[in-house]
Amino acid sequence: MKLKIGISGINAVDNPGPGVGVAKSIKEDKELSAKIVGLSYDAMEPGNYMKWIIDKSYILPYPSADHNTYLNRLYYIRENYGLDFVMPVLDAELPLYLKYQKELEKNGIKTFLPTLEQFKLREKDKLEEVAKNIGIETPKSEVVNSYDELVKAVEKLGLPVMVKGVFYKAYRAYTVQEAVSFFNKIVAEWGYPVILQQVVSGEEMNVVAAGDGEGNSLGMIAIKKMWITELGKIWTGITIKNDNLLNSAKRFIEVYGWKGAFELECIVDLNNNKIYLIEINPRFPAWSYFSTGVGVNIASNIVRKAFDLPVKEYRDYPAGKLYIRYTDDFVVGIETFQKLITLGEN
Amino acid sequence: MNRLHQLAINDEGFIFDPLTGENFTVNRTGLFIINRLKEGKKEEEILQELIDEFNVSREVAERDLIDFLEKLKSYRII
Ligand SMILES: Nc1ncnc2c1ncn2[C@@H]1O[C@H](COP(=O)(O)OP(=O)(O)O)[C@@H](O)[C@H]1O
Ligand SMILES: [Mg+2]
């Protein structure tokens, strides 16, 4: 089967997109012998030049622009090169792909994504309920919609306190003044509501996994962050075997019938044996190749499931494996860049 | 919580806890003690082995053992 798999987020920069790691994972499944179609938004995205991973590249219009233009671009790719499947990995794309997943499928492009209802679970004011249903905890939180509520929430939760948007941005405030200024910042950028959250301490541990939409896991691993960049991106990590953490990810898949890839970000308080759910990312994280590297190829399993190919069953993985991200450089001729600029593909 | 049984310990005294991802190193004496704890030996037994192995007085061995056990407790390993 020679599948053509479209993958976005091939911006392998200091704030790395998840795409290149996902592409590497799919390439490593030799039985798929897939061709990778890089879906980029800028000619300068490094993945466009990494021919050993990305076989063919296209520039796409932004997903925030007219949806028809976006879909037509995908149909153009399907007709001219082939596009059997798309794995969107960027937050900004997901709403569009979720909305049009049926239409895409009708037009011969498969995806493997959560339903809109499942997707909403990532909203941070829903985390408390999710955590409860999967047997873990969340830091105490207050949803605030005004200055008065903010002040009350700070009184209740104490300082320091986390000030968060429903989708993105998290700031740690040490004073009421700071909390107010972060509150204003988030409202200006993202609107209401804002979430105030108790600061919890512990080890930051994450799970990457995928559900098959029928309550089964397509593979998962748990890791601890060892070294992060200023942007909070994992640069080194280590695999761990924390059964409570892995079981909560399993329950997440079972309870919600989650379909597709996801990441759970948790803070684990080892002294009190508590796991706090901090964030659900409804897509692959940038470090997802880590799981493939320890023998759990989640990305290829998603493709297998989507095409009714035999799914691999992953029961175990080794703890104590290290993830090392590094930067590299190489030199290419100007032709690739030229083609991307003039034709929008290469 | 007893995490001792799950620890991965190498000959150089590098210890990795697969549950938490924590790692730390211990010296030769620490390694000697932790390996025996893992085998399920009692403190009194370990004390005698320390005296025999390292040729030290009972007082010195006892102090080292107690110090080390306290350390392990503070890291919630035993
Ligand atoms: N309640 C909390 N207590 C302590 N640290 C937190 C808390 N919430 C978030 N953090 C830290 O802030 C980071 C970003 O928070 P997160 O909710 O994941 O926002 P983002 O959408 O920016 O990723 C987390 O990875 C964690 O390191
Ligand atoms: Mg986060």
Side-chain angles (χ1 to χ4, degrees):
Chain A
M1 200 171 212
K2 270 231 161 10
L3 294 171
K4 306 259 172 73
I5 311 278
I7 299 173
S8 63
I10 55 170
N11 48 331
V13 293
D14 62 337
N15 181 8
V20 170
V22 173
K24 283 202 296 181
S25 299
I26 288 173
K27 280 251 137 147
E28 278 192 16
D29 187 345
K30 298 287 180 242
E31 282 168 36
L32 290 181
S33 63
K35 292 271 183 216
I36 305 296
V37 185
L39 307 175
S40 66
Y41 296 97
D42 192 300
M44 294 309 336
E45 288 187 31
N48 287 328
Y49 304 87
M50 299 164 74
K51 291 292 154 209
W52 62 98
I53 299 169
I54 313 285
D55 298 287
K56 171 87 183 169
S57 290
Y58 289 90
I59 311 245
L60 268 57
Y62 286 117
S64 52
D66 175 50
H67 285 177
N68 269 330
T69 315
Y70 193 97
L71 295 177
N72 284 335
R73 185 67 175 153
L74 294 178
Y75 299 148
Y76 168 87
I77 298 170
R78 197 183 69 85
E79 248 123 71
N80 289 278
Y81 181 76
L83 189 61
D84 302 297
F85 186 91
V86 176
M87 187 91 83
V89 297
L90 300 174
D91 287 319
E93 305 167 326
L94 288 171
L96 182 142
Y97 279 97
L98 290 183
K99 186 166 173 194
Y100 296 104
Q101 47 185 314
K102 292 223 172 68
E103 188 167 332
L104 284 169
E105 169 118 40
K106 248 188 269 156
N107 286 284
I109 302 173
K110 283 181 191 283
T111 54
F112 203 81
L113 298 167
T115 63
L116 209 55
E117 203 178 313
Q118 291 168 346
F119 186 64
K120 289 208 172 95
L121 297 170
R122 84 196 195 290
E123 295 169 18
K124 285 187 182 147
D125 49 353
K126 307 235 165 53
L127 284 185
E128 198 171 330
E129 193 192 317
V130 175
K132 207 155 105 199
N133 285 335
I134 64 175
I136 54 178
E137 329 218 356
T138 40
K140 282 195 200 77
S141 302
E142 296 285 327
V143 179
V144 301
N145 282 294
S146 69
Y147 175 82
D148 284 349
E149 286 179 12
L150 172 79
V151 174
K152 273 192 206 123
V154 175
E155 268 169 25
K156 210 160 157 185
L157 296 170
L159 289 162
V161 70
M162 298 298 301
V163 186
K164 297 188 176 190
V166 175
F167 299 115
Y168 311 106
K169 289 282 150 73
Y171 302 100
R172 190 183 284 231
Y174 290 90
T175 62
V176 179
Q177 289 79 358
E178 260 182 354
V180 171
S181 100
F182 291 140
F183 172 83
N184 289 331
K185 210 163 155 170
I186 289 169
V187 170
E189 200 177 348
W190 300 99
Y192 295 102
V194 171
I195 289 152
L196 263 73
Q197 193 172 74
Q198 166 206 14
V199 171
V200 290
S201 56
E203 299 283 346
E204 299 210 19
M205 300 185 187
N206 295 1
V207 177
V208 61
D212 70 353
E214 296 151 18
N216 309 300
S217 164
L218 291 171
M220 64 173 64
I221 69 161
I223 66 140
K224 188 177 89 140
K225 298 180 185 179
M226 290 177 81
W227 194 27
I228 57 171
T229 64
E230 273 180 35
L231 296 168
K233 302 296 153 187
I234 298 180
W235 227 250
T236 54
I238 191 160
T239 50
I240 53 167
K241 291 289 273 292
N242 187 314
D243 285 336
N244 292 343
L245 191 57
L246 291 167
N247 284 334
S248 60
K250 281 193 197 113
R251 276 199 294 272
F252 180 68
I253 292 171
E254 280 165 21
V255 171
Y256 294 103
W258 187 270
K259 187 175 174 192
F262 68 93
E263 176 196 25
L264 298 184
E265 289 188 33
C266 299
I267 293 180
V268 180
D269 180 351
L270 298 165
N271 292 319
N272 301 308
N273 212 6
K274 280 189 172 163
I275 300 177
Y276 296 100
L277 180 61
I278 300 297
E279 188 177 29
I280 300 166
N281 286 312
R283 50 158 176 77
F284 277 116
W287 52 271
S288 79
Y289 180 74
F290 198 177
S291 73
T292 306
V294 298
V296 181
N297 196 334
I298 302 171
S300 93
N301 240 3
I302 287 178
V303 174
R304 283 165 171 268
K305 180 74 188 173
F307 289 92
D308 285 326
L309 299 168
V311 164
K312 298 237 166 98
E313 216 173 301
Y314 298 113
R315 293 189 183 283
D316 208 7
Y317 64 88
K321 291 280 183 190
L322 287 188
Y323 173 77
I324 312 289
R325 189 186 271 283
Y326 70 110
T327 55
D328 197 2
D329 44 20
F330 58 96
V331 176
V332 292
I334 199 166
E335 310 79 45
T336 306
F337 178 65
Q338 266 171 354
K339 283 198 183 132
L340 285 165
I341 292 293
T342 53
L343 306 173
E345 64 187 84
N346 178 59
Chain B
M1 179 175 54
N2 187 337
R3 301 195 284 157
L4 201 58
H5 64 278
Q6 73 200 20
L7 297 179
I9 303 170
N10 85 353
D11 295 342
E12 283 81 44
F14 181 89
I15 297 175
F16 172 69
D17 183 345
L19 180 73
T20 64
E22 287 170 310
N23 63 73
F24 41 91
T25 53
V26 294
N27 64 15
R28 212 157 67 85
T29 317
L31 185 61
F32 186 88
I33 297 172
I34 212 165
N35 275 326
R36 271 146 195 82
L37 285 170
K38 221 181 154 185
E39 289 163 13
K41 292 197 169 145
K42 297 271 172 303
E43 276 177 41
E44 186 52 40
E45 250 176 300
I46 298 172
L47 182 60
Q48 194 51 54
E49 287 191 37
L50 275 173
I51 296 164
D52 297 344
E53 174 78 18
F54 295 96
N55 247 326
V56 289
S57 68
R58 189 171 185 92
E59 289 73 55
V60 169
E62 194 157 27
R63 199 187 55 218
D64 281 357
L65 180 59
I66 290 170
D67 278 358
F68 189 69
L69 292 176
E70 281 307 313
K71 265 264 150 55
L72 292 181
K73 274 179 203 148
S74 76
Y75 287 105
R76 302 173 317 278
I77 288 168
I78 53 172

